[in-house]
Amino acid sequence: MKEPLESDGFSARINAQSGLLDSLASNGENIHPSALDNHVVFVRLSGNTYAFKCGENKPVKSGNTITAKLLPLDKKVPFAAQVEYSIANGFFTEKVTLTALEAVDQPFQLGLRHGFDSKAWNKIICALYPTRAIDADKSTVFSYSEKENDRNRTVLDKYQHSLYPMSMLKSDRGILMAGSFDLDKFVTISPNMPQGYFPSLQKNPLSVKK
């Protein structure tokens, strides 16, 4: 079952079984194709990657917003999550919150990934100065801002630095922008890590408190 969310030229479908985005189109163009594991909220801990689904917590719709509480598929993972999808003022917005249920005293990774068809796009453009533009099937990584308790994964050219928490897909049809309005928040942006995911966001804390 797919829960619809439509407004301002956007048409989204939320998978009622997983609580995650199944597909997204903008003005009739499919920018997030429906596919297995095309949207992943995850924690990577002790060398293993754990995905989150809503399970029995079905998505809740209110106006142009859908919210779902997520749990890890492995119940031993000490995290819970919540996703919120909304459409307003011409933007499709996704908010993901991951909460530690107990202290974790080792490095780990958390994040989210969205599947995309790299063949439908020409370039990935990263909001760095000087600008980084790579082929749509290539991967890269950079961090916006810095955080003391994070590995701050970044590959930069000489004198290069991040300008905004944003990356873009470019094709002959136009540009798709994916980013955050909050310029005070740290994030690591990693398109095509792993291959076939954009946007792909992560954080790499060295530890976390409950």
Side-chain angles (χ1 to χ4, degrees):
M1 181 178 174
K2 312 291 172 59
E3 185 70 40
L5 189 62
E6 297 180 341
S7 184
D8 292 349
F10 288 100
S11 179
R13 295 292 183 272
I14 311 303
N15 189 311
Q17 292 183 321
S18 67
L20 300 173
L21 180 66
D22 176 77
S23 63
L24 175 64
S26 175
N27 295 316
E29 181 168 354
N30 192 3
I31 57 179
H32 179 91
S34 178
L36 182 66
D37 293 331
N38 68 337
H39 183 196
V40 182
V41 175
F42 71 93
V43 168
R44 182 167 177 80
L45 184 64
S46 300
N48 297 307
T49 300
Y50 303 97
F52 288 72
K53 307 287 185 183
C54 67
E56 297 180 358
N57 301 318
K58 298 306 179 184
V60 177
K61 185 174 183 179
S62 177
N64 287 334
T65 300
I66 293 179
T67 305
K69 295 182 178 180
L70 310 180
L71 294 172
L73 298 183
D74 187 328
K75 295 182 179 180
K76 297 191 296 293
V77 177
F79 288 89
Q82 178 172 294
V83 293
E84 179 183 288
Y85 306 100
S86 61
I87 301 174
N89 302 318
F91 292 95
F92 176 82
T93 303
E94 173 185 36
K95 181 180 179 180
V96 178
T97 304
L98 282 144
T99 303
L101 303 179
E102 62 184 61
V104 177
D105 296 319
Q106 61 174 300
F108 64 98
Q109 183 182 90
L110 54 85
L112 65 108
R113 303 166 180 153
H114 286 275
F116 82 116
D117 181 5
S118 62
K119 295 179 181 178
W121 303 91
N122 301 330
K123 295 288 184 180
I124 294 172
I125 302 173
C126 302
L128 301 170
Y129 183 80
T131 301
R132 175 175 296 162
I134 59 175
D135 291 342
D137 61 349
K138 304 301 182 184
S139 61
T140 190
V141 60
F142 70 96
S143 291
Y144 173 76
S145 187
E146 293 184 358
K147 195 167 188 177
E148 183 176 346
N149 191 43
D150 193 282
R151 287 187 291 160
N152 298 290
R153 295 189 62 195
T154 297
V155 176
L156 295 176
D157 298 330
K158 191 174 183 179
Y159 305 122
Q160 196 169 44
H161 60 276
S162 59
L163 290 176
Y164 300 105
M166 181 174 67
S167 53
M168 294 166 273
L169 289 174
K170 180 181 181 297
S171 74
D172 296 336
R173 305 177 308 282
I175 291 177
L176 172 66
M177 302 173 64
S180 173
F181 292 114
D182 192 340
L183 300 184
D184 295 324
K185 293 288 184 69
F186 165 84
V187 68
T188 295
I189 299 170
S190 50
N192 273 324
M193 286 188 176
Q195 194 70 28
Y197 286 94
F198 177 98
S200 176
L201 308 175
Q202 57 180 266
K203 292 185 178 181
N204 296 273
L206 302 177
S207 62
V208 68
K209 297 180 179 179
K210 179 177 179 182

